[in-house]
Amino acid sequence: MLLLQFFVTGVVTGCFLILATIGFSLTRRVEGFLNIAHAELLGVSAFTTWWLNAELGVHVIVAAVVAIAFTALVGLLIARVIYDPIRARGPAVLLITSTGVAFVLGGVIDGLIGTGIRTLQIGLAHRYEVFGIRITSHQLLMVVLAAATSVSLAVFLNRTRTGLAIRAMSANPSLAASRGVNLSATSRATWLLSSSLAGIAGVMLAVVATLTTDLAFAQILQILAVAILAGLGSLYAVIVSGLLVGIAMDVSAFWIPAGYRPLVAFAVVIVVLVFRPAGLAGTRAA
Amino acid sequence: MGTNKRKWMRLFAVLFALSLVGAACGDDDSADQQDQDAEETASQPSEDAAGTDSETADETSPPTTEAAERGEVTVGVLVPLTGELGEFGAIVADAIEFGVSEINAAGGTRCGDIRTVVADTGGDAETGIREATNMIESEGAVAILGPTSGVMVPLVDLAHREEVVIMSPYAGTITLNELGGDFVYRTVSSDLGDGAASGLWLSSRGYESVAFLIQNEESTISPAEVARDEVNAAGIKITDFIVYNPGQPSYQAELTTVLANDPDAIFLAGGQESGVTVIKEAVAGGFEGEWLFTADLAVPEIFDAVGADLINDKAFVEFADVDPSLPEFISFEERYDKAGDPFAPNSFDMVTLVALALESAGGCDGAAINGTIRGVADSDGTKVSTFAEGRDVLAAGGTINYEGASGPLVFDASGTVSGAYTIQQAINGEWVNVEFYPASTFDR
């Protein structure tokens, strides 16, 4: 029973990793570089939610919606002002630049928020027990949001004109342009989408965690682990990868000290890459 | 053009001359010290540098009266005035300045009035080393007071090499338990003392089982191990001893076995970020027992962050404290309106000890202080609690035992003093004192 409890906890951890990573992988797939600043966008969303809810007294759902929209706009603004002008210089320059952007965003958040801890004005999570397995309302919300986001993203990418344009651009930008896809508009849509996904993850970070200004960026290693395991660029594999890493990390605490959870995450990545160097998605990326 | 050119040349010459004069005057404070050093160096064979340590203490700046004819002895105040620990650094700097004002008002030391040079480390070790080096080499500081743990440890080598005393009123790191003792002192107890106090409290509550949740840091693990040994010795079952990494969105995985074992109490040694999440998740997960937190959570903000109703009556916190009933502290409190600030008494004691060590020594440098500081802090001599009292006894040829505002100051082999500890309970949304362990509790 205890092992099953660890498994359930691992699923919840995996769901957060999915939310945190799926936008990162979308950017990588369409824009062609690792946007390290993605982790700080979680912080933008988390602290916007906190500011609206705890400081201004706005209901947490309204605060969350506004925070997600604001984060999407911040992500788009960064892309237009910083990444677009240097896009031709290649993914390495964009990667390094995104690291700089992460530090700037972190510094701005530090300056605006200051030191100390921040929490939302929401009640304690409710506890449910099913066959002796404990799960809280916050954990359930995490699972529901991860599932809803994944399904919605899949529908969006497969059934809408913009979604199809994003897929076309990610597969072959030149061919997509020759078939009438507006690359600039599609790029903007991608940034809005990926940043809003970071916004959703940021809201959940604010709901479950105690916020400090360095908490969001502390997630970047696990985001990278999940993205690399998925195969940089695959979106559906991110779901499998997030769950795999989350479950492996938490279930491992049944046998080995919990302090080694991050080590387990990277051990899983290394083992999988030994057998599938291109990640779980292999060469066929969605 | 020719006249203008000459004007500029004259102006340049005047500025150059002024800058030379300024440079000469700028080092005036340390000039005496440096001149003395130069004279001593000249009087001794240079290849004998390693052998001059004890001689330096005897031969530097001869004892004089009238505060060395109003000369000065420089003490560096190396504290974090910015950054996360800036609030504490300011308290320490203020308390040191208060101590210096009392010492100088009483006539100064036999080496002269104490002059302070203050530098902000921002809590950064590299900055601390640079500023400390500057204080010693440019300002002639004979002691450096106030570094935090992270800054003090890297300064140990510098202290030995330059023979300058370094003291801290709040560096509890257990690393100094090994490195301290010679030129390196602290007027606060080691973090291990927190573990002993926590263990004592946990053992006294009648618990049958206790779980330990420890943030993965040296400053929390080592005290927790001491507390665990204490609890073990009391025959209490330890259900879990879990070391976790901070910076996680959730700590459910760490809490899974803890909640399954349902201990009577959880000892939580963690920071505010992890601590608040752990408390919320544990209570949401069904934990109804008591808590013992470490000092990081001993702040009023915890009640807002966690929700006072979750911890009221059930949570306790342990931290190093001074004994408010000590006559020395009461006297300090009457003289200094910020005596209750954290580490203010420890900081006052630090500079007073340095001044008394200078008063007692034959020299006026770091080696002289190092040679006498233990003697003035702990001896069979006359008990004193201010610089003026101590100076008078020393002047009369007696020996002194300085009893500080922060408590008895008896340096152990590592240059660390024993500490007192307070236990507070969460009652109606605030921390209330429920137990005090004087330093003597741990003398065994």
Side-chain angles (χ1 to χ4, degrees):
Chain A
M1 192 59 77
L2 193 59
L3 189 61
L4 194 57
Q5 182 68 63
F6 275 113
F7 181 82
V8 170
T9 304
V11 170
V12 177
T13 301
C15 286
F16 174 74
L17 291 174
I18 292 168
L19 286 173
T21 310
I22 202 160
F24 178 83
S25 283
L26 179 66
T27 307
R28 168 65 181 85
R29 178 75 176 144
V30 180
E31 298 296 324
F33 74 100
L34 300 171
N35 179 26
I36 302 299
H38 186 85
E40 284 293 2
L41 289 177
L42 269 68
V44 170
S45 173
F47 280 108
T48 305
T49 308
W50 165 79
W51 182 68
L52 290 169
N53 173 251
E55 295 290 287
L56 301 185
V58 176
H59 190 278
V60 68
I61 294 175
V62 178
V65 171
V66 174
I68 292 167
F70 177 68
T71 306
L73 290 174
V74 170
L76 177 63
L77 183 70
I78 290 169
R80 298 286 287 171
V81 173
I82 298 171
Y83 298 145
D84 281 356
I86 59 170
R87 186 184 300 276
R89 294 180 185 272
V93 171
L94 284 163
L95 166 67
I96 293 166
T97 304
S98 75
T99 307
V101 170
F103 279 105
V104 171
L105 273 179
V108 170
I109 293 172
D110 264 339
L112 292 175
I113 303 297
T115 57
I117 54 171
R118 306 286 188 276
T119 53
L120 298 185
Q121 295 296 312
I122 55 175
L124 192 67
H126 295 289
R127 180 176 76 255
Y128 305 100
E129 289 210 21
V130 183
F131 301 117
I133 299 300
R134 168 179 45 81
I135 190 161
T136 67
S137 52
H138 290 172
Q139 290 177 305
L140 279 174
L141 178 63
M142 187 81 82
V143 175
V144 169
L145 261 182
T149 302
S150 302
V151 171
S152 303
L153 187 62
V155 171
F156 178 79
L157 291 176
N158 287 298
R159 300 291 170 85
T160 67
R161 188 178 179 83
T162 306
L164 290 170
I166 288 173
R167 292 185 66 198
M169 183 177 163
S170 69
N172 191 328
S174 304
L175 185 59
S178 70
R179 297 300 298 265
V181 172
N182 183 334
L183 294 186
S184 294
T186 306
S187 174
R188 285 197 294 273
T190 303
W191 280 111
L192 279 172
L193 187 57
S194 63
S195 302
S196 62
L197 289 168
I200 294 171
V203 167
M204 287 313 297
L205 192 66
V207 168
V208 298
T210 304
L211 296 177
T212 57
T213 52
D214 53 359
L215 184 65
F217 196 67
Q219 312 309 313
I220 188 63
L221 281 180
Q222 289 186 8
I223 289 173
L224 279 169
V226 172
I228 291 168
L229 181 62
L232 290 168
S234 169
L235 299 183
Y236 302 134
V238 168
I239 297 166
V240 178
S241 174
L243 287 173
L244 187 60
V245 170
I247 292 167
M249 278 168 50
D250 287 3
V251 170
S252 72
F254 184 74
W255 293 286
I256 61 175
Y260 292 107
R261 287 168 74 243
L263 183 148
V264 171
F266 284 96
V268 169
V269 173
I270 291 166
V271 168
V272 172
L273 292 185
V274 165
F275 296 101
R276 292 179 67 90
L280 290 176
T283 53
R284 293 176 56 214
Chain B
M1 285 291 285
T3 308
N4 281 341
K5 189 176 178 182
R6 277 197 298 276
K7 274 184 183 172
W8 282 110
M9 289 295 287
R10 272 201 300 273
L11 182 61
F12 177 76
V14 169
L15 287 173
F16 183 66
L18 283 173
S19 69
L20 286 177
V21 171
C25 295
D27 282 334
D28 204 33
D29 293 325
S30 58
D32 293 346
Q33 187 83 24
Q34 288 171 347
D35 288 347
Q36 288 160 11
D37 291 345
E39 284 169 18
E40 288 159 24
T41 307
S43 69
Q44 293 166 1
S46 58
E47 61 269 26
D48 192 35
T52 61
D53 298 358
S54 58
E55 294 166 20
T56 308
D58 294 332
E59 293 182 16
T60 45
S61 56
T64 60
T65 55
E66 292 300 317
E69 296 173 4
R70 308 325 303 172
E72 288 178 330
V73 58
T74 302
V75 169
V77 181
L78 189 66
V79 291
L81 295 173
T82 56
E84 192 180 357
L85 300 171
E87 190 182 342
F88 294 114
I91 291 169
V92 170
D94 286 349
I96 291 172
E97 292 297 344
F98 173 72
V100 168
S101 68
E102 277 204 346
I103 293 160
N104 290 344
T109 71
R110 48 173 284 286
C111 300
D113 283 349
I114 290 183
R115 176 183 78 109
T116 57
V117 286
V118 183
D120 174 22
T121 65
D124 177 57
E126 194 179 335
T127 308
I129 292 170
R130 188 175 63 245
E131 294 292 351
T133 304
N134 183 54
M135 284 173 171
I136 296 166
E137 295 183 353
S138 300
E139 301 286 351
V142 297
I144 292 177
L145 311 179
T148 49
S149 289
V151 175
M152 188 151 178
V153 172
L155 288 180
V156 170
D157 278 347
L158 184 73
H160 291 157
R161 197 169 59 246
E162 299 281 356
E163 296 193 335
V164 168
V165 165
I166 296 185
M167 290 183 80
S168 173
Y170 44 23
T173 176
I174 64 163
T175 306
L176 292 174
N177 290 22
E178 300 293 327
L179 299 177
D182 185 28
F183 288 98
V184 178
Y185 301 90
R186 45 187 171 174
T187 51
V188 69
S189 58
S190 157
D191 286 341
L192 293 182
D194 286 284
S198 296
L200 197 57
W201 174 255
L202 290 168
S203 303
S204 69
R205 294 289 294 168
Y207 301 137
E208 292 181 2
S209 58
V210 176
F212 284 66
L213 277 165
I214 315 299
Q215 186 161 309
N216 193 3
E217 287 173 11
E218 176 228 272
S219 62
T220 45
I221 293 174
S222 298
E225 287 172 342
V226 172
R228 179 187 59 186
D229 294 344
E230 189 93 26
V231 170
N232 251 333
I236 298 167
K237 181 184 178 188
I238 295 174
T239 60
D240 298 273
F241 190 89
I242 294 176
V243 178
Y244 66 85
N245 296 312
Q248 301 178 181
S250 166
Y251 298 88
Q252 290 282 359
E254 286 81 355
L255 280 167
T256 297
T257 55
V258 172
L259 295 178
N261 291 326
D262 194 24
D264 291 340
I266 295 177
F267 175 60
L268 175 60
Q272 293 178 9
E273 173 267 311
S274 64
V276 168
T277 305
V278 165
I279 296 164
K280 283 180 168 179
E281 290 187 335
V283 175
F287 178 68
E288 294 178 344
E290 292 189 344
W291 297 87
L292 178 61
F293 306 142
T294 46
D296 280 1
L297 296 175
V299 291
E301 290 79 9
I302 291 303
F303 292 99
D304 287 335
V306 173
D309 53 324
L310 298 189
I311 54 174
N312 272 341
D313 303 325
K314 293 179 179 175
F316 301 87
V317 66
E318 171 277 326
F319 57 92
D321 202 4
V322 297
D323 185 348
S325 67
L326 284 176
E328 294 82 8
F329 177 77
I330 293 168
S331 168
F332 177 59
E333 203 172 27
E334 287 167 359
R335 305 194 311 273
Y336 186 49
D337 58 359
K338 292 187 278 189
D341 287 352
F343 310 113
N346 313 62
S347 306
F348 171 82
D349 289 342
M350 197 168 53
V351 71
T352 306
L353 272 175
V354 166
L356 288 171
L358 282 170
E359 201 66 23
S360 170
C364 293
D365 57 11
I369 298 169
N370 188 51
T372 55
I373 195 163
R374 288 174 185 272
V376 297
D378 180 30
S379 75
D380 296 329
T382 308
K383 187 174 159 184
V384 299
S385 60
T386 65
F387 169 75
E389 289 173 12
R391 181 204 51 200
D392 293 345
V393 174
L394 289 168
T399 56
I400 60 169
N401 176 15
Y402 178 70
E403 295 283 316
S406 62
L409 293 157
V410 180
F411 292 113
D412 64 14
S414 72
T416 307
V417 299
S418 300
Y421 298 89
T422 288
I423 304 287
Q424 292 184 328
Q425 183 176 14
I427 297 175
N428 293 327
E430 59 183 35
W431 294 112
V432 178
N433 289 354
V434 292
E435 183 66 273
F436 179 77
Y437 296 126
S440 57
T441 309
F442 308 100
D443 292 341
R444 46 183 172 162

